[in-house]
Amino acid sequence: MFKRSNTVKYVLDLVPGKSRLGTYRFLPIFFCIGGVMEWIMINVRIGKETFYDVYRRKQSEREYEQKIADGLMVRNEPAAK
């Protein structure tokens, strides 16, 4: 059904540790990729915010809306002038 590509097989065989670790030899590569992604989400600013700034703000908004829905808080509406 699927044809194996000799080029892909060759590139995968370039990664050392095949006899000792098997397919787990790719684990450090993906661990490093995940670390780089996490660092980017924490430190790289797009506009004025990082990913975690947006996450914290949205989480705070959800908690506030949930408290209003539960009746624990009353929304302060500005008085009509």
Side-chain angles (χ1 to χ4, degrees):
M1 184 173 191
F2 291 106
K3 211 168 135 181
R4 287 195 178 197
S5 171
N6 289 332
T7 308
V8 172
K9 187 176 181 181
Y10 173 74
V11 170
L12 293 178
D13 285 340
L14 289 176
V15 178
K18 183 176 183 180
S19 62
R20 201 172 265 207
L21 300 173
T23 57
Y24 292 107
R25 70 184 189 261
F26 301 106
L27 199 60
I29 295 168
F30 292 111
F31 182 80
C32 291
I33 290 171
V36 168
M37 286 177 57
E38 188 73 21
W39 184 87
I40 288 171
M41 289 177 13
I42 292 170
N43 294 315
V44 175
R45 294 192 175 276
I46 298 174
K48 295 181 181 179
E49 295 182 316
T50 64
F51 171 80
Y52 285 112
D53 293 338
V54 174
Y55 175 78
R56 283 191 301 261
R57 187 183 74 238
K58 293 288 185 184
Q59 184 179 17
S60 176
E61 289 172 0
R62 283 188 213 107
E63 288 174 4
Y64 177 73
E65 292 295 327
Q66 186 63 39
K67 285 181 182 179
I68 289 174
D70 292 343
L72 299 175
M73 292 182 77
V74 176
R75 183 176 287 177
N76 291 335
E77 305 260 346
K81 291 184 180 182

